[in-house]
Amino acid sequence: MALLGTYHEDEYLPEYGLIVLRDTPVEGSWPEWPESVLNEGASAAARCGTFAGGGNAWFEASAGDGYHVITMESHDSEPPEDGEWDDVAETLYRSWSGIVGLTILTGAQMRPDLRLGGRGLYRVRVARQKGEDFGDTWRLQFWPQPEPVVPPRWLKRGTPPVPSPDPGWDTVIGSHAWELPYIVSQAGDQDGATIDDVAAWALTHHRPADWLDERLFPVPAPALPTGHADLDEQATQSRSSRIAEAAAEEAKLAGYAAQLGVPAPTTRRGLLTFFVAAGLVTYGGGKYRRVSSPPLAREVLRLPADLVTQLAMQSDRRQYQSFATDIASVAAWLDGRAVTVGWLADQLLATQEEVRATLHYAQTQAMLEVTGDTELRMDVLRGGRLPAGGSTPPPAQVKSPPKPAPVQVSEAGAPPRAGVLAAGHIVDDETVELPPLESRISRALQSAYGILLITYGDPITLVRPGGEMVSFGTDLMPHVVLSPDGRRLATVEARLGRDSSYALQLYDLADLSQQTMPWDDTLSIGVIGMYRDTVYFSGEYKPMSWTPGSDPVQLDRQVREIDPISGRTLAADSTGLIITDQDGTTHQVPLDQQCQLVPRGAGVYRVRNFPNAITVFPLEDIQNPQTHWLPDDSMLSPSMALGPVWESPTTLLVPSKTGAPVHRLDLTTGALERVPTPPRLQALVEPLLAAG
């Protein structure tokens, strides 16, 4: 027995709580797998169950939150069992490339993390040791699986394969209320929590000071104007529906309270009395205590028959769905062989009663077809369906406004002022070929010292006049802001992991020197913008500013956006927008919160789709907005690399959803003109507006 190779990762962050491993492609190609229940996503056998599962070029393990330590090993034969582990199982993995890599559920760049020793079928022993808080320690050992194939088996379970029933209270009273017993358990000590402990916990976790006394079902504020009658009508209808739903929920909860003989709760404070009466929380000695095994809602309350059925189905899914997937993963490798319930129970470390109940569930959910009595034959069905829940109503049909007359576009105007990025080149006054970048470019910005290329994961690249390229920064967040003169760039250096750290860095683009803001690096930071020499940022959820040479200070107002030319800031609350001048003058603007500042802060604008338009609200005349209709294929999302770009305080460049054509909108006249751009457009370079 020899160890062929290892791979170790200290801080793997699961997506959706799943560790995901897949084959790494060879020379960029993927094979055509024959149809099989072991293909990823083909059936319940191709999903992760209670712990871990594998199949044709995929492996998943249920990991939960936090950063995990993962070691993978490749062996030429079965290694000995060793170590103190909480969970251990063996599954199977068929590799077509012989190389595997960790990734995430929704896909990521595939890395050749571990070579297995060639293509073929491998056995994988998965072992987990639970961490004290979030994040566990894992070991995955691969070795060739000889014939005959031994189905997956479980060697140690840290938790039962079939959990306790779902009490159903979150469905009955709503998850926003059902969280309260959990908060009670977190707020105090082993003896319970006082009401003051719960209030203190809420403040510590960024809840408002009156959180305990907020209405459980608040009446939403009136909809704010958008500048479009159809959107305003949609928002008004949505508010009316939410008011009706809140009233119905409040009445329903009052009815349940009457059954328990307690006052109808309208706040979280009142809800505690309800929970005590329902048996979910106990009270004594001035302290509330969460009940570890709460009673089932359908056994405490008289509920409508359809709701009782729904709760029973939800409970069955919670109890049996994952374990049914374990059984399906075993069945998929039996190749038609008959087995007994006792054999299954031994293979899965479960009781025979748990196996029988789960087999019944798997058949009702079309996951397995089971024949026989003493000797069972199990066929895994493709695409096992999930249990039916409550019916989902169709989305509301919103009536769109009458489509405006066809948008008139003039012939081609001048090229984009600051240039474009196209086909791996920067094209402006001169064309510069770019080196290959590992990550796609998210933004291109004009500075006083060249073009800045911002990517996901790579250092920032500065393309100086003449074509010289320099890179700087490590672990930088993709959101950056420039000073109005284009000389300084502010961004956040974030090292994410168990002990994450954050630092606000200010780079001088003249010589790439940097200044680091004085800061407790355990607190998160997000840059907002710059005005003159001051950086505005959010620090641990608080609006703050920093001027180099001084300490950061907390602002006395919220800031969501700052205009680098005028220094006006934008914030929003339930009444609409709050625009604040540098001298402290405040403008209350009752408009939709999706509005943003126009350059120089002379007003705000809002984009819309179907049909596409941008509406500008002048600050001096909010009641008379100007709407400019745009072509149907316009790309209006500001988060995309090819989103709209302000070319000047009065002109906007709008690409299409395919990049080209690009249109220039003149907000002073409403005129649209086609902008000449090269093929394979990747990004529009954002100009320095203060220089325009």
Side-chain angles (χ1 to χ4, degrees):
M1 189 273 291
L3 176 66
L4 303 179
T6 63
Y7 174 81
H8 183 79
E9 187 162 326
D10 280 325
E11 294 184 334
Y12 174 87
L13 184 62
E15 184 184 45
Y16 299 104
L18 290 174
I19 290 174
V20 179
L21 181 141
R22 295 189 177 103
D23 257 34
T24 299
V26 177
E27 298 177 353
S29 63
W30 296 91
E32 289 289 335
W33 282 108
E35 282 196 18
S36 169
V37 293
L38 291 168
N39 290 347
E40 187 173 5
S43 71
R47 299 181 186 133
C48 174
T50 58
F51 179 42
N56 292 336
W58 69 271
F59 168 88
E60 291 178 4
S62 179
D65 296 326
Y67 290 89
H68 295 251
V69 177
I70 300 178
T71 300
M72 299 193 298
E73 300 174 355
S74 174
H75 297 262
D76 62 358
S77 60
E78 179 179 356
E81 298 177 27
D82 62 357
E84 293 295 326
W85 304 98
D86 296 311
D87 298 273
V88 184
E90 289 179 5
T91 186
L92 294 134
Y93 184 95
R94 180 173 283 115
S95 176
W96 62 269
S97 69
I99 307 171
V100 295
L102 290 170
T103 182
I104 56 177
L105 187 64
T106 56
Q109 183 176 355
M110 295 300 301
R111 306 168 308 185
D113 292 336
L114 184 69
R115 294 183 176 273
L116 301 179
R119 61 186 302 165
L121 183 61
Y122 291 84
R123 197 161 189 85
V124 192
R125 182 180 297 143
V126 190
R128 172 176 60 186
Q129 185 178 43
K130 296 289 289 183
E132 292 184 3
D133 194 359
F134 292 116
D136 305 331
T137 299
W138 296 76
R139 186 180 68 184
L140 278 63
Q141 296 173 303
F142 292 79
W143 68 92
Q145 167 67 63
E147 296 289 347
V149 175
V150 177
R153 64 172 183 153
W154 277 251
L155 306 176
K156 189 174 184 181
R157 286 188 183 271
T159 56
V162 177
S164 59
D166 181 357
W169 289 99
D170 55 342
T171 299
V172 171
I173 62 176
S175 57
H176 68 289
W178 174 235
E179 70 172 355
L180 193 54
Y182 168 79
I183 292 173
V184 166
S185 70
Q186 298 297 305
D189 53 29
Q190 61 183 3
D191 295 325
T194 66
I195 196 71
D196 290 339
D197 291 333
V198 175
W201 185 98
L203 282 175
T204 303
H205 291 78
H206 312 291
R207 312 292 174 97
D210 61 347
W211 178 74
L212 272 172
D213 296 304
E214 285 182 334
R215 291 187 65 87
L216 289 174
F217 307 103
V219 175
L224 295 164
T226 66
H228 294 272
D230 64 311
L231 297 182
D232 292 344
E233 180 184 357
Q234 175 187 355
T236 299
Q237 292 176 354
S238 175
R239 178 174 183 264
S240 297
S241 297
R242 289 168 60 194
I243 290 173
E245 291 168 1
E249 290 296 316
E250 197 168 69
K252 181 175 69 175
L253 188 56
Y256 297 150
Q259 291 185 34
L260 298 174
V262 296
T266 58
T267 66
R268 292 179 181 86
R269 190 185 300 271
L271 195 61
L272 284 171
T273 303
F274 177 93
F275 283 151
V276 171
L280 310 179
V281 172
T282 63
Y283 181 73
K287 289 190 173 184
Y288 294 93
R289 298 167 186 82
R290 180 191 186 191
V291 174
S292 58
S293 298
L296 305 185
R298 61 184 187 271
E299 294 179 355
V300 174
L301 299 172
R302 296 187 304 276
L303 301 173
D306 58 344
L307 181 55
V308 171
T309 300
Q310 178 186 344
L311 293 177
M313 295 174 69
Q314 286 179 188
S315 184
D316 285 350
R317 174 169 171 76
R318 168 177 165 167
Q319 287 192 278
Y320 303 118
Q321 179 72 25
S322 293
F323 189 45
T325 303
D326 287 353
I327 294 178
S329 69
V330 172
W333 294 99
L334 284 173
D335 197 24
R337 284 173 285 171
V339 296
T340 65
V341 169
W343 181 89
L344 271 177
D346 291 341
Q347 198 80 356
L348 294 157
L349 290 187
T351 67
Q352 294 191 31
E353 290 72 20
E354 289 171 330
V355 170
R356 288 192 180 92
T358 306
L359 283 172
H360 173 74
Y361 172 84
Q363 291 180 90
T364 63
Q365 301 306 305
M367 297 169 68
L368 289 172
E369 183 177 324
V370 183
T371 56
D373 186 12
T374 304
E375 296 284 321
L376 306 179
R377 294 186 183 275
M378 299 179 291
D379 292 316
V380 180
L381 303 179
R382 299 185 190 279
R385 64 181 175 87
L386 299 179
S391 60
T392 302
Q397 298 299 312
V398 179
K399 190 175 182 180
S400 295
K403 189 171 181 178
V407 176
Q408 299 298 315
V409 180
S410 66
E411 294 301 320
R417 190 184 105 199
V420 300
L421 179 67
H425 295 73
I426 291 178
V427 182
D428 51 9
D429 295 334
E430 56 184 346
T431 299
V432 177
E433 184 175 357
L434 301 175
L437 299 172
E438 291 186 8
S439 303
R440 71 180 181 89
I441 292 173
S442 60
R443 292 177 71 193
L445 296 86
Q446 181 187 48
S447 77
Y449 296 90
I451 304 298
L452 292 160
L453 302 179
I454 314 299
T455 63
Y456 292 97
D458 291 337
I460 295 173
T461 299
L462 174 62
V463 184
R464 290 172 170 155
E468 179 191 4
M469 284 175 278
V470 292
S471 297
F472 61 93
T474 57
D475 301 312
L476 299 182
M477 302 293 281
H479 183 58
V480 303
V481 297
L482 276 172
S483 61
D485 61 4
R487 176 168 178 166
R488 290 166 295 278
L489 177 141
T491 186
V492 174
E493 180 183 87
R495 292 183 173 88
L496 304 178
R498 287 185 186 81
D499 300 312
S500 297
S501 64
Y502 306 87
L504 195 156
Q505 304 288 3
L506 186 63
Y507 290 91
D508 188 328
L509 300 179
D511 57 10
L512 296 185
S513 60
Q514 70 184 86
Q515 292 175 273
T516 302
M517 183 182 73
W519 187 250
D520 178 352
D521 66 3
T522 64
L523 305 179
S524 61
I525 308 172
V527 291
I528 297 172
M530 289 185 69
Y531 176 64
R532 295 180 178 169
D533 294 326
T534 300
V535 183
Y536 289 74
F537 67 99
S538 62
E540 200 66 6
Y541 310 103
K542 300 172 184 176
M544 305 189 73
S545 68
W546 172 58
T547 303
S550 63
D551 290 331
V553 296
Q554 185 173 341
L555 302 176
D556 59 1
R557 64 183 185 276
Q558 293 295 320
V559 176
R560 190 180 76 186
E561 185 182 347
I562 183 166
D563 175 60
I565 305 173
S566 67
R568 275 180 168 165
T569 62
L570 175 70
D573 62 14
S574 61
T575 65
L577 307 176
I578 305 168
I579 299 175
T580 306
D581 299 341
Q582 279 295 305
D583 64 6
T585 303
T586 298
H587 310 268
Q588 297 286 145
V589 184
L591 287 176
D592 183 78
Q593 295 183 3
Q594 294 184 41
C595 291
Q596 298 172 272
L597 284 172
V598 299
R600 292 182 180 156
V604 295
Y605 72 96
R606 188 191 192 279
V607 298
R608 65 157 297 157
N609 298 98
F610 312 116
N612 298 323
I614 176 172
T615 300
V616 179
F617 300 84
L619 192 55
E620 295 181 354
D621 193 10
I622 289 292
Q623 301 302 320
N624 290 296
Q626 182 64 50
T627 295
H628 304 280
W629 300 102
L630 297 166
D632 290 343
D633 63 347
S634 295
M635 173 61 78
L636 294 175
S637 171
S639 62
M640 303 294 290
L642 270 173
V645 167
W646 286 99
E647 189 179 35
S648 77
T650 58
T651 57
L652 185 69
L653 296 177
V654 183
S656 72
K657 293 178 180 178
T658 56
V662 174
H663 296 100
R664 177 181 288 114
L665 171 65
D666 187 329
L667 272 71
T668 59
T669 65
L672 270 175
E673 63 181 11
R674 191 181 301 271
V675 178
T677 55
R680 294 173 59 192
L681 184 66
Q682 294 171 267
L684 299 170
V685 179
E686 301 172 35
L688 270 175
L689 296 183

